[in-house]
């Protein structure tokens, strides 16, 4: 069976993975609410304004169960993800239709969804992914900066270092997971533990000047407010470490493109088409 085909036999359990957005129930879409109400069981990660009581008594879902205990502080990410996926698959076999409600967008920075894709490919489940508002969306709004206008790279901090990625300083960089640079452990309560932010700084200094200002960003609960928590010169990046949480990202704005780098022939082409 092709990985792009669904096993639609009636006996195959259905798993909906639903993005809750960043601001809790304020970001739940009508589509998300519809699928939540269809599920026999909703597995959820507690987030802003979303709880078992609200899901069952206010939204009217059949039954809700928190996955919070499975994401253990200090454990390896891989072990946490295995526990979560195992619980999802167990639940699907028990009740046949399960919704998994998670913060943000299910396709942005969610490692364990790949395991559900494998279960789908093997014919163990049917899988539906329901879009949610991601932190990418809220960050560009909080920063008041159009990623198309400036050009942007969105990347995981450890991926930069693992693959020795060459960065283009003319682009904005949205760097995720600065809470766990150089470690696979989930140190939620204290992201300074084992964090090698210094290694990320040294790599960024290959492309950006030491005085270049970077920003630690966390999307606010209230829309339209300033999402910048703190700013620092790149050379002093470690000063931001005490402020880093599992909800923060690093924004490195691009350097203005010098006039000599502009393709004059293409510029004239654009002007001629006006």
């Amino acid at each position: 069976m092709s990985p792009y085909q669904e096993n639609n036999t009636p006996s195959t359990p259905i798993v909906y993975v639903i993005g809750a957005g960043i601001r809790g129930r304020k970001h739940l879409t009508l589509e998300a609410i519809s699928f939540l109400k269809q599920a026999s069981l909703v597995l959820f990660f507690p987030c802003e304004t979303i709880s078992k009581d609200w899901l069952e008594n206010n939204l009217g879902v059949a039954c809700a169960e928190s996955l919070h205990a499975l994401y253990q502080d200090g454990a390896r990410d891989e072990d946490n993800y295995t526990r979560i996926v195992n619980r999802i698959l167990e639940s699907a076999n028990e009740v046949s239709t399960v919704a998994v409600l998670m913060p943000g967008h299910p396709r942005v920075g969610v490692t364990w969804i790949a395991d559900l894709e494998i279960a789908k490919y093997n014919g163990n489940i049917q899988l539906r992914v329901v879009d949610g508002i991601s932190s990418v969306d809220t960050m560009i709004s909080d920063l008041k900066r159009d990623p198309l206008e400036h050009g942007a790279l969105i990347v995981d901090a450890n991926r930069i270092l693992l693959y020795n990625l060459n960065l283009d300083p003319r682009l904005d960089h949205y760097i995720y997971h600065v809470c766990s640079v150089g470690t696979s452990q989930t140190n939620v309560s204290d992201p300074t533990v084992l964090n090698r932010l210094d290694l990320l700084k040294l790599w960024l200094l290959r492309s950006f000047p030491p005085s270049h200002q970077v920003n630690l960003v966390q999307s606010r609960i209230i829309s339209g407010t300033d999402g910048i928590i703190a700013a620092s010169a790149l050379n002093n990046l470690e000063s931001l470490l005490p402020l880093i949480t599992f909800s923060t990202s690093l924004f490195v704005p691009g350097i203005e493109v010098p006039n000599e780098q502009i393709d004059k022939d293409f510029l004239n082409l654009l002007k001629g088409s006006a």
Side-chain angles (χ1 to χ4, degrees):
M1 183 174 67
S2 166
Y4 301 103
Q5 293 176 334
E6 292 280 5
N7 184 333
N8 288 318
T9 60
S11 60
T12 307
I14 302 174
V15 175
Y16 300 110
V17 182
I18 301 172
I22 302 302
R23 299 188 179 108
R25 66 181 78 162
K26 297 177 185 177
H27 274 184
L28 277 181
T29 65
L30 295 176
E31 181 185 36
I33 291 172
S34 173
F35 283 117
L36 288 170
K37 290 183 175 181
Q38 291 179 37
S40 301
L41 171 66
V42 174
L43 303 174
F44 72 100
F45 295 89
C47 58
E48 183 64 31
T49 70
I50 293 179
S51 64
K52 176 179 173 66
D53 178 71
W54 182 80
L55 287 167
E56 293 180 350
N57 298 324
N58 293 77
L59 197 59
V61 306
C63 181
E65 175 188 319
S66 173
L67 293 172
H68 176 72
L70 301 183
Y71 196 81
Q72 297 176 7
D73 190 15
R76 294 174 67 247
D77 272 344
E78 185 177 349
D79 295 335
N80 282 334
Y81 300 151
T82 297
R83 279 189 289 270
I84 291 168
V85 170
N86 285 345
R87 181 59 190 135
I88 293 170
L89 296 179
E90 288 170 2
S91 299
N93 287 324
E94 292 167 1
V95 299
S96 76
T97 305
V98 173
V100 184
L101 182 63
M102 51 162 299
H105 191 294
R107 297 291 188 187
V108 180
V110 183
T111 303
W112 50 265
I113 200 168
D115 292 329
L116 294 182
E117 291 284 2
I118 293 172
K120 168 189 168 184
Y121 174 70
N122 291 334
N124 298 323
I125 60 170
Q126 298 178 59
L127 180 65
R128 301 283 191 276
V129 175
V130 181
D131 299 328
I133 297 174
S134 74
S135 56
V136 178
D137 301 308
T138 54
M139 271 197 292
I140 62 177
S141 182
D142 293 337
L143 291 166
K144 305 175 182 65
R145 196 169 175 93
D146 185 346
L148 300 184
E149 179 70 23
H150 295 274
L153 172 69
I154 304 171
V155 66
D156 177 270
N158 285 324
R159 187 176 182 85
I160 292 175
L161 298 171
L162 183 63
Y163 292 102
N164 295 321
L165 296 183
N166 292 321
L167 307 180
D168 187 338
R170 297 169 296 179
L171 300 178
D172 288 348
H173 288 69
Y174 296 81
I175 303 178
Y176 274 65
H177 302 146
V178 290
C179 55
S180 54
V181 180
T183 177
S184 61
Q185 288 190 9
T186 306
N187 297 309
V188 178
S189 60
D190 186 2
T192 64
V193 176
L194 301 177
N195 193 319
R196 295 301 308 274
L197 194 64
D198 59 308
L199 296 180
L200 179 62
K201 180 187 81 171
L202 291 174
W203 191 259
L204 290 173
L205 284 171
R206 296 187 179 196
S207 302
F208 296 91
S211 61
H212 192 62
Q213 180 172 291
V214 300
N215 299 306
L216 192 64
V217 183
Q218 177 176 331
S219 294
R220 301 300 190 182
I221 295 172
I222 302 174
S223 61
T225 59
D226 192 351
I228 299 176
I229 293 177
S232 169
L234 177 56
N235 199 42
N236 195 33
L237 184 61
E238 291 96 332
S239 66
L240 300 179
L241 189 56
L243 302 175
I244 289 175
T245 70
F246 269 60
S247 299
T248 53
S249 299
L250 186 68
F251 175 66
V252 183
I255 297 170
E256 186 175 351
V257 179
N259 286 334
E260 58 268 21
Q261 292 188 16
I262 296 177
D263 187 319
K264 300 300 191 299
D265 292 334
F266 189 71
L267 177 61
N268 290 331
L269 178 65
L270 293 175
K271 290 179 176 180
S273 63

